[in-house]
Amino acid sequence: MPERSDSESESRKLLRRLRDTLAEAGKGQERLDRITHIIADSMRTEVCSIYLFRDPETLELCATEGLKAEAVHKTRMRVGEGLVGRVAREQRSINTGNAPAEKGFRYMPETGEEIYSSFLGVPIQRLGERLGVLVVQSKIARQFSDDEVYALEVVAMVLAEMTELGAFVGDDPSMAALHQRPVMFRGSVGQEGVAAGHVWLHEPRVVITNLVADDPDVERDRLRQAVDQLRVSVDDMLTVAGSGDSEQMEVLEAYRMFANSRGWMRRMEEDIDRGLSAEAAVEKEQSAARARMETVPDPYLRERLQDLDDLSNRLLRILTGQGAETGASMPLDPILIARNIGPGELLAYGRKLKGIVLEEGSVGSHAAIVARALAIPLVIHAERITTEALNGDHVMVDGEQGIVHLRPEDSVASAFRDKMAMQAKALQRYVSIRKKPALTLDGQTVALHMNAGLMADLPSLESSGAEGVGLFRTELQFLIRSQVPRRAELAALYSKVLDSAGGKRVAFRTLDIGSDKVLPYMKREEEPNPALGWRAIRVGLDKSGVMRMQLQALIRAAGERPLTIMFPFVAEASEFFEARGHLDHVMKQERKLGRPVPDKVEVGAMLETPSLAFAQDSFFDAVDFISIGGNDLKQFFFAADRENERVRRRYDTLNISFLHFLETIVKRCDAAGTSLSFCGEDAGRPIEALCLAAIGFRMMSMRPASIGPVKHLLRKVDLTELRGVIDDAARSGRASARSSVIEYLSKGGWAL
């Protein structure tokens, strides 16, 4: 094994030769050919080959020194096929002195590689994005040294950066320019709707152009100064955070740990000693962390690696001077692309956004709540889109299917525009019935209300034809602040909401936090299953001071006007009675203080757990109204986590057993004379809404954009006939009524 200083010297020489070669004029293929020759010569191997991805699952030999020239652009393999395919799949190096004996070896006769025993392959990847595989081979049966492996990994990193910068563009599909090809991302639905526009990156990618450095001492000094600056900024963030949210503190403590990690610093300094610039050294370690994230199953370790990734981005911005403000102008039709985003940041963008695409997120996340409030299409779990998209790229977001088309082909774009045009035409059709009641052919009237959570939602009361606000989410004002909002602030907001409603009913849901909605200033409770844990009414009753403060704000906002309040996630009657007791206490206090109180207060409960459906009659007699929270109720009825894509689509709302269960609630409310509504995503889906109306629901609450389509179909249907169709499906033993209902509607000629 050569001495380390010699190896470092050779590594720097190799990188300089690569830099000089890349600086020369020439086509992409010529550059690749020169590079393979330089690497083989510098590492004293008979073979050096570069394999690049032709498509997401296929590698192609694009350049070689030592293998048969006629195999270039002819030899291809699938990911996982042969040793090269294994390197690509596992994203880790393979180093063997006896390649034919290695697991997964595949002989490629057209390459002439049978005479080479030793094999070293390293992945060419940038920040988790797979680009290809770099391979060296020799006739002598030997394992390559750790220094040689390390040196080749450094070279692969440089090749990845140059590939990103377009240094190897050629005519072959495997050498097509990056960030120019059409790409489709299949994610999950966060908020329905469709939108077309141009990419606006929430955190623009840091571009590194100086990969190779001549003076390692200068680069080490630059790195140390930047890390010192980073440590100071992390300490400042910790000081500002104080003893706030435990999750935020945990992240910042992880930042501090990594920022002071000797191992992290040592690895980056070693990269610099081998010829990389400070920026390239940081990104090399960042790419390694991203690769580890792909293979680590433990969620806690994945979060810590994510922290290291975030910290690396901060360090790169210090070194390059590239902040979030790049000087680029936001397009007129921005589609926001981000890994994740907080509710405050999303609200700052406001309604100027046409759509949102996130790599992470969940259907109940803060971002999803805000997106629904703003009626902006949202797709979540669009993996790797932040590494592929560039500011200004044309993008189309299908929030109905959870699909994103980046740089779509003309045929895709045309079909998408047709879909948008059809929806726009349908919306125009709904304008004519906006002020008409949702009156069915058999004379049944269904009250259609809208969901809201922001002042900005209230204009939709008029434009959508909603008869009121069936759900006003009050938690958004708590989520976007760094501390508990003041009672006076909340009272002023709620008063404006009632003013904007113009006398229409607004049902305020008290603070619904916990599960996936964690306040930044409240200690996070570590629970094995947060959806079934300390949330909503449970938090309110345990933190009664916050509940009473919010109830006071609502009462003061209403003045002498009617007030409607509902408590979320009530699982048993005693919780409702205890919460109403707090309301009675606050009302009594307000009267003692001589303040005006509402002339009428409706107090309701959200039925989101099956247990409440079987509460005693006294509960149904006492409660003023019940609102079914369909999203939670459905997941608990079927024991199917709505955040789990594997199971959440498995169970149908029109399942006969679920419809029968809902009907028992309808009957209990009818018997008690208690008002009942259905609130949730299913209320806004026309077929589901029809069936809910058919089994007895006479009030539903949904997003404003759904009111037109639901009303349109309700006005064309006889609910008595539809109820017969559902009953026939049940008698025939069908698991779901959906196919029968669709067949009935199709025969009637009603467009869905």
Side-chain angles (χ1 to χ4, degrees), residues 151-228:
L152 199 64
E153 288 174 345
V154 170
V155 171
M157 182 265 176
V158 173
L159 293 181
E161 287 297 326
M162 298 313 298
T163 302
E164 173 76 14
L165 294 171
F168 308 125
V169 174
D171 296 331
D172 192 88
S174 59
M175 296 173 64
L178 297 180
H179 310 299
Q180 293 185 18
R181 291 173 280 194
V183 186
M184 184 187 80
F185 296 88
R186 190 174 295 278
S188 305
V189 176
Q191 162 66 11
E192 296 172 346
V194 295
H198 292 85
V199 168
W200 181 251
L201 293 170
H202 181 56
E203 291 184 337
R205 181 184 295 107
V206 175
V207 179
I208 300 174
T209 54
N210 59 323
L211 297 165
V212 181
D214 292 318
D215 191 334
D217 292 333
V218 170
E219 296 304 307
R220 276 196 300 271
D221 189 54
R222 290 182 63 232
L223 178 65
R224 287 167 185 162
Q225 288 183 28
V227 170
D228 286 343

Side-chain angles (χ1 to χ4, degrees), residues 299-440:
Y300 177 80
L301 292 178
R302 285 179 65 87
E303 285 181 11
R304 297 294 72 80
L305 285 169
Q306 186 73 68
D307 295 337
L308 178 57
D309 192 52
D310 291 339
L311 199 69
S312 299
N313 279 331
R314 290 175 182 271
L315 185 54
L316 282 173
R317 294 193 186 284
I318 292 171
L319 282 165
T320 62
Q322 298 175 30
E325 293 295 330
T326 62
S329 298
M330 182 183 287
L332 296 176
D333 51 359
I335 304 288
L336 186 72
I337 307 290
R339 195 172 65 201
N340 214 338
I341 189 170
E345 294 171 302
L346 192 49
L347 283 170
Y349 283 107
R351 292 185 184 275
K352 68 181 76 167
L353 297 178
K354 301 299 181 185
I356 306 164
V357 184
L358 302 178
E359 288 189 349
E360 300 174 5
S362 64
V363 294
S365 66
H366 304 166
I369 293 168
V370 174
R372 289 189 200 109
L374 296 173
I376 299 173
L378 166 67
V379 172
I380 56 177
H381 304 149
E383 295 183 2
R384 300 190 184 284
I385 192 167
T386 58
T387 60
E388 178 63 39
L390 296 178
N391 272 337
D393 279 345
H394 186 209
V395 61
M396 292 178 153
V397 179
D398 188 341
E400 317 284 341
Q401 304 294 325
I403 292 173
V404 180
H405 298 283
L406 183 65
R407 300 182 291 270
E409 294 177 336
D410 290 343
S411 58
V412 173
S414 176
F416 198 91
R417 283 193 293 269
D418 289 344
K419 180 176 182 176
M420 292 181 67
M422 287 177 62
Q423 291 195 350
K425 187 176 180 180
L427 287 174
Q428 287 299 315
R429 184 168 69 236
Y430 305 144
V431 170
S432 64
I433 60 172
R434 183 175 61 199
K435 295 187 178 180
K436 294 180 180 179
L439 181 65
T440 65

Side-chain angles (χ1 to χ4, degrees), residues 607-610 628-642 647-655 658 661-662 678-679 681-682 685 688 738:
L607 195 156
E608 299 169 272
T609 62
I628 287 181
N631 299 338
D632 265 333
L633 185 63
K634 182 179 173 183
Q635 77 166 338
F636 295 137
F637 182 85
F638 289 110
D641 184 356
R642 65 189 180 118
V647 298
R648 83 181 187 97
R649 295 182 182 275
R650 190 183 186 97
Y651 301 100
D652 190 359
T653 304
L654 303 190
N655 180 287
F658 189 55
F661 172 64
L662 292 176
F678 190 99
C679 175
E681 294 173 6
D682 289 320
R685 295 178 176 134
E688 282 83 342
R738 185 172 299 277

Side-chain angles (χ1 to χ4, degrees), residues 711-731:
K711 184 187 290 187
H712 172 73
L713 204 52
L714 279 169
R715 288 174 57 84
K716 292 179 174 292
V717 171
D718 184 314
L719 291 183
T720 306
E721 283 186 8
L722 182 59
R723 175 58 196 261
V725 171
I726 294 172
D727 289 343
D728 288 344
R731 282 192 291 269

Side-chain angles (χ1 to χ4, degrees), residues 429-671:
R429 184 168 69 236
Y430 305 144
V431 170
S432 64
I433 60 172
R434 183 175 61 199
K435 295 187 178 180
K436 294 180 180 179
L439 181 65
T440 65
L441 294 181
D442 56 333
Q444 302 294 326
T445 300
V446 181
L448 302 182
H449 292 232
M450 60 171 265
N451 299 333
L454 297 168
M455 274 298 301
D457 293 322
L458 274 299
S460 297
L461 256 177
E462 179 65 26
S463 62
S464 68
E467 297 176 46
V469 178
L471 165 66
F472 190 91
R473 304 179 184 92
T474 62
E475 58 271 11
L476 283 177
Q477 301 308 313
F478 287 79
L479 289 168
I480 62 177
R481 284 174 163 80
S482 58
Q483 58 187 8
V484 179
R486 294 180 178 179
R487 179 175 50 210
E489 292 176 326
L490 292 177
L493 170 70
Y494 301 151
S495 181
K496 288 180 182 177
V497 170
L498 291 170
D499 291 343
S500 298
K504 291 184 177 179
R505 179 178 181 267
V506 179
F508 290 96
R509 181 178 68 188
T510 60
L511 190 57
D512 185 5
I513 57 169
S515 185
D516 51 5
K517 290 176 283 190
V518 181
L519 299 182
Y521 40 84
M522 182 177 285
K523 181 180 179 182
R524 186 184 183 94
E525 297 291 327
E526 294 299 331
E527 299 178 290
N529 192 340
L532 296 175
W534 195 57
R535 54 176 292 202
I537 190 72
R538 299 166 183 175
V539 176
L541 294 176
D542 290 350
K543 298 279 187 181
S544 57
V546 176
M547 174 184 274
R548 289 189 181 189
M549 181 273 288
Q550 186 182 27
L551 292 173
Q552 270 186 327
L554 286 164
I555 291 166
R556 292 180 185 182
E560 296 179 345
R561 293 176 289 189
L563 177 62
T564 303
I565 295 173
M566 59 181 175
F567 298 110
F569 205 66
V570 177
E572 60 180 19
S574 62
E575 293 174 333
F576 170 76
F577 290 123
E578 186 179 349
R580 195 177 68 176
H582 286 298
L583 175 61
D584 292 341
H585 175 79
V586 172
M587 287 278 286
K588 187 176 179 180
Q589 275 190 323
E590 291 296 289
R591 287 193 184 97
K592 276 186 179 181
L593 293 170
R595 295 181 181 275
V597 295
D599 57 2
K600 177 186 176 184
V601 179
E602 281 187 290
V603 188
M606 291 203 75
L607 195 156
E608 299 169 272
T609 62
S611 61
L612 194 63
F614 302 98
Q616 57 268 44
D617 290 341
S618 59
F619 164 72
F620 284 90
D621 291 334
V623 70
D624 292 325
F625 67 95
I626 287 175
S627 177
I628 287 181
N631 299 338
D632 265 333
L633 185 63
K634 182 179 173 183
Q635 77 166 338
F636 295 137
F637 182 85
F638 289 110
D641 184 356
R642 65 189 180 118
E643 300 289 356
N644 187 331
E645 287 298 313
R646 283 189 170 184
V647 298
R648 83 181 187 97
R649 295 182 182 275
R650 190 183 186 97
Y651 301 100
D652 190 359
T653 304
L654 303 190
N655 180 287
I656 296 296
S657 61
F658 189 55
L659 291 177
H660 282 171
F661 172 64
L662 292 176
E663 193 174 11
T664 64
I665 301 171
V666 172
K667 290 177 178 177
R668 293 205 68 182
C669 287
D670 285 347

